[in-house]
Amino acid sequence: MALPGASARFHEYEAAITACIERRALWEGRQVHARMITARYRPAVFLGTRLVTMYVRCGALDDARNVLDRMPERSVVSWTTMISGYSQTERHVEALDLFIKMLRAGCIPNEYTLATVLTSCSGPQSIYQGKQVHSLLVKTNFESHMFVGSSLLDMYAKSENIQEARRVFDTLPERDVVSCTAIISGYAQKGLDEEALDLFRQLYSEGMQCNHVTFTTLVTALSGLASLDYGKQVHALILRKELPFFVALQNSLIDMYSKCGKLLYSRRVFDNMLERSVVSWNAMLMGYGRHGLGHEVISLFKDLHKEVKPDSVTLLAVLSGCSHGGLVDEGLDIFDTVVKEQSALLHTGHYGCIIDLLGRSGRLEKALNLIENMPFESTPSIWGSLLGACRVHANVHVGELVAQKLLEMEPENAGNYVILSNIYAAAGMWKDVFKVRKLMLEKTVTKEPGQSWIILDKVIHTFHSSERFHPSKKDINAKIKEIFVDIKAAGFVPDLSCVLHDVDDEQKERMLLGHSEKLAITFGLMNTPPGLTIRTEDWSMIFLIQVIPLELHRDDLLMAILFITRSPIRSQKLHTNHLTFTSKGKNNMI
């Protein structure tokens, strides 16, 4: 770095700055820059741009901007380097402002400038600026450029405009792994997992090259579908291609297998990881919690501290796992410890888990007190969780208080009215039931009927309660009655308390037989060969009662267990571990 003062030449400065860029040596780079100033050496455009690059690479964006602003001449590379620095550090407003200033200065952007500025237009809030940049691409004939086109479709995908992203993708004259991965990721982020899988199959059959990012995106989509067969095929394809197992890809595999009910596979991937991030531990914790395995959650959480530092998501996974696993005291102890030692990590989601946990255990007064004294503003979902617990435990007093709060917060949410009505019905308070229903009519609030569906041979069959229009309704009803007779002979006693109508017991039994879940399951059993697996999937999050993906084989015992999903099992002959069907309210998918 010992340069000869005023006699230093361009090549010596350029070599010194390049060395600083390669080593990200900010202090030495500033020394070189200071030597240039004291020697009154005025760098040419190229060397000035190298200074901007050096400061950007070292994270000194304000210094880089000072150099850029003082340059008497600037090239497109100078502007692009500074815009890229802002974009990479998520200073998107400054990146867009500098891009506008560049255009006003008369500098014509190249493909790298346009691709870079598009990354600062991602997200629903920046879609207007993104469309303006898109119009510029059309005017300058850059829309079909593969590099710019990939950034453009990624911008639309992240802005949740998947139709426009697909249009851009279809117009690309050439497609590389980046553009293919971007469009698949767009579908997955939008929740269109089936479309993401179909597009991958189409592109792969056309010879698309895949990397670990492509497969990570695809496995994420398969997690949403809970499609075990496709998940195994993709995992096998990754192994055949001998792709490096990056942490993100392995995390996606852990999540996918756990959502498919294969915790053994998830744990095998987890244990074989050479390197684990906190996301890896969180994925495994979420998997155990999703299946109600609270003790495994606690055990894994204790091991986690030996390797990584827990974050907010970790605590959410642990508290949720304790709630789903029924570990009330353990969950409360962990929460109290976190409040004392790591309160900065807590947010409303953590309090929601504890309120859900207290609600499940019947400690409704304590849950209500916690909501009223929590350091955050309570959300409708938290109040809704407690209202559901009041329904389960038939607590009219707390239920009325919670329902009143919810009706103020969400006057148009029909579910709150229905749950309050159910609480009254369970207590035999039929006059209050009629008052709630009258209130719904006055406020013109209607509840969408619940439905369940089953996919057979890629055909979706949808069932509503007491289905009357399905072509096989007579055969389904006959089969349901046949199963009902068999399981009653085996000792099953239906729980009529879950039928919240003022009718006799015989009518209540008939109403239980018409539940949409039972209709869908019975139809599936009637139309699948022996030995085939029927998998139930639940798409719910923390505040629902249970989240347990389930695999069942077709035999009489399991048919009976499937049939009585809405009622407790009264006979030991029908008992089995961790066998629970979960409900999503209006949308149950089997």
Side-chain angles (χ1 to χ4, degrees):
M1 300 298 295
L3 298 176
S7 62
R9 294 171 298 180
F10 167 85
H11 295 294
E12 293 168 323
Y13 282 124
E14 196 275 334
I17 294 171
T18 299
C20 293
I21 292 173
E22 292 174 350
R23 292 165 176 78
R24 299 182 187 273
L26 178 60
W27 186 84
E28 290 82 355
R30 282 176 171 158
Q31 292 288 90
V32 176
H33 190 191
R35 182 67 64 87
M36 293 170 68
I37 294 172
T38 55
R40 297 182 180 181
Y41 180 85
R42 295 191 175 185
V45 176
F46 174 81
L47 197 55
T49 302
R50 295 297 284 168
L51 278 173
V52 174
T53 303
M54 185 268 295
Y55 282 123
V56 167
R57 292 282 182 86
C58 295
L61 295 185
D62 293 337
D63 291 337
R65 182 61 183 269
N66 286 333
V67 173
L68 180 73
D69 291 341
R70 293 172 185 273
M71 290 175 65
E73 295 182 46
R74 308 176 186 95
S75 67
V76 65
V77 179
S78 312
W79 292 99
T80 302
T81 301
M82 192 68 244
I83 292 171
S84 176
Y86 283 139
S87 181
Q88 291 173 3
T89 54
E90 298 186 358
R91 294 167 65 170
H92 300 309
V93 174
E94 291 165 284
L96 290 169
D97 288 343
L98 188 60
F99 178 68
I100 294 171
K101 187 175 180 179
M102 169 188 173
L103 295 177
R104 290 174 177 169
C107 184
I108 300 174
N110 60 19
E111 62 270 27
Y112 300 104
T113 315
L114 295 169
T116 298
V117 78
L118 281 169
T119 61
S120 292
C121 299
S122 299
Q125 304 301 323
S126 305
I127 186 64
Y128 176 72
Q129 292 90 335
K131 288 182 176 179
Q132 289 184 310
V133 177
H134 188 181
S135 66
L136 180 62
L137 301 183
V138 175
K139 293 176 183 178
T140 53
N141 295 321
F142 274 112
E143 184 184 25
S144 59
H145 189 285
M146 184 174 67
F147 186 50
V148 179
S150 297
S151 296
L152 182 62
L153 75 88
D154 185 60
M155 182 271 293
Y156 278 120
K158 290 179 178 177
S159 302
E160 299 185 357
N161 193 340
I162 193 63
Q163 292 82 8
E164 189 63 27
R166 183 59 185 267
R167 190 198 67 77
V168 173
F169 179 77
D170 290 338
T171 58
L172 289 176
E174 295 182 40
R175 300 165 181 168
D176 61 357
V177 64
V178 176
S179 57
C180 293
T181 301
I183 189 63
I184 294 171
S185 176
Y187 278 115
Q189 291 172 1
K190 186 73 173 174
L192 303 172
D193 301 311
E194 187 71 40
E195 288 81 352
L197 177 59
D198 290 341
L199 182 60
F200 172 81
R201 286 188 295 206
Q202 174 192 332
L203 296 176
Y204 189 76
S205 65
E206 294 173 359
M208 174 188 70
Q209 296 299 314
C210 307
N211 59 19
H212 73 280
V213 181
T214 312
F215 283 113
T216 300
T217 300
L218 180 61
V219 172
T220 301
L222 293 173
S223 297
L225 289 171
S227 177
L228 181 61
D229 292 336
Y230 285 127
K232 286 181 176 179
Q233 291 179 39
V234 171
H235 194 177
L237 185 60
I238 295 170
L239 293 172
R240 285 201 301 272
K241 286 184 170 292
E242 298 182 350
L243 291 175
F245 274 95
F246 290 93
V247 174
L249 177 55
Q250 292 175 303
N251 293 344
S252 296
L253 286 170
I254 292 171
D255 185 59
M256 184 270 294
Y257 278 126
S258 70
K259 286 181 178 177
C260 293
K262 292 295 185 181
L263 282 174
L264 181 62
Y265 292 175
S266 292
R267 189 57 189 260
R268 190 176 299 166
V269 173
F270 178 81
D271 289 339
N272 289 330
M273 293 178 71
L274 298 178
E275 177 186 356
R276 288 190 285 255
S277 68
V278 68
V279 179
S280 314
W281 291 88
N282 293 346
M284 198 67 241
L285 287 168
M286 283 290 190
Y288 281 134
R290 187 180 292 116
H291 290 259
L293 303 177
H295 292 290
E296 285 78 357
V297 170
I298 297 295
S299 176
L300 191 65
F301 181 60
K302 292 178 180 178
D303 294 336
L304 176 145
H305 291 84
K306 304 173 185 176
E307 197 167 308
V308 297
K309 184 178 180 180
D311 61 8
S312 178
V313 179
T314 309
L315 299 176
L316 198 65
V318 174
L319 295 176
S320 174
C322 291
S323 179
H324 293 154
L327 303 181
V328 180
D329 294 331
E330 291 85 344
L332 292 175
D333 289 342
I334 292 173
F335 181 74
D336 291 339
T337 302
V338 173
V339 169
K340 294 176 183 177
E341 300 177 1
Q342 297 174 293
S343 58
L345 295 178
L346 295 176
H347 55 68
T348 53
H350 300 96
Y351 280 86
C353 285
I354 292 300
I355 291 161
D356 182 56
L357 186 147
L358 292 170
R360 288 170 187 265
S361 62
R363 305 180 191 182
L364 303 179
E365 297 285 352
K366 186 173 182 178
L368 180 61
N369 184 61
L370 179 59
I371 294 179
E372 293 174 342
N373 293 284
M374 61 189 289
F376 306 100
E377 185 177 352
S378 57
T379 62
S381 60
I382 289 178
W383 286 105
S385 173
L386 183 55
L387 184 62
C390 292
R391 158 67 187 94
V392 173
H393 296 284
N395 191 314
V396 177
H397 173 64
V398 177
E400 286 180 328
L401 295 175
V402 175
Q404 182 180 0
K405 185 71 176 179
L406 276 171
L407 294 181
E408 294 174 0
M409 299 174 71
E410 298 179 316
E412 304 301 322
N413 187 339
N416 298 326
Y417 295 89
V418 173
I419 296 176
L420 177 60
S421 173
N422 291 345
I423 291 173
Y424 286 139
M429 302 168 64
W430 299 108
K431 290 183 179 180
D432 294 288
V433 171
F434 296 140
K435 287 181 182 178
V436 174
R437 293 179 180 176
K438 183 180 178 181
L439 183 62
M440 292 180 68
L441 290 174
E442 292 174 354
K443 293 182 176 292
T444 63
V445 177
T446 57
K447 180 183 181 297
E448 185 178 346
Q451 63 181 12
S452 302
W453 67 89
I454 184 169
I455 303 174
L456 292 176
D457 297 326
K458 297 185 179 180
V459 177
I460 299 176
H461 299 266
T462 304
F463 296 88
H464 295 83
S465 182
S466 300
E467 180 66 51
R468 298 185 298 274
F469 303 107
H470 195 277
S472 304
K473 64 174 183 175
K474 291 184 179 179
D475 295 334
I476 295 173
N477 290 336
K479 189 65 176 177
I480 283 182
K481 292 177 182 177
E482 176 188 333
I483 297 175
F484 189 60
V485 170
D486 290 342
I487 62 175
K488 286 190 73 174
F492 167 67
V493 178
D495 181 12
L496 303 181
S497 65
C498 61
V499 181
L500 303 175
H501 296 276
D502 191 14
V503 295
D504 58 37
D505 289 351
E506 184 178 350
Q507 180 66 16
K508 288 182 178 181
E509 283 192 9
R510 284 198 295 269
M511 295 176 74
L512 280 175
L513 299 183
H515 196 280
S516 62
E517 293 171 6
K518 293 182 174 67
L519 297 173
I521 293 171
T522 303
F523 179 74
L525 294 170
M526 291 168 56
N527 291 276
T528 54
L532 188 69
T533 297
I534 296 177
R535 180 172 296 104
T536 64
E537 300 169 357
D538 186 277
W539 303 89
S540 59
M541 294 301 287
I542 288 173
F543 298 115
L544 291 187
I545 294 174
Q546 197 111 31
V547 188
I548 305 179
L550 176 63
E551 283 193 0
L552 298 171
H553 289 284
R554 189 177 185 272
D555 59 52
D556 293 338
L557 175 62
L558 293 179
M559 284 171 66
I561 295 171
L562 277 169
F563 183 73
I564 57 177
T565 54
R566 282 288 178 172
S567 306
I569 296 172
R570 300 288 181 85
S571 169
Q572 291 298 318
K573 296 179 182 178
L574 301 180
H575 178 75
T576 181
N577 272 338
H578 306 302
L579 194 57
T580 307
F581 184 87
T582 59
S583 172
K584 187 192 174 186
K586 69 177 182 179
N587 295 315
N588 299 308
M589 183 173 182
I590 302 170

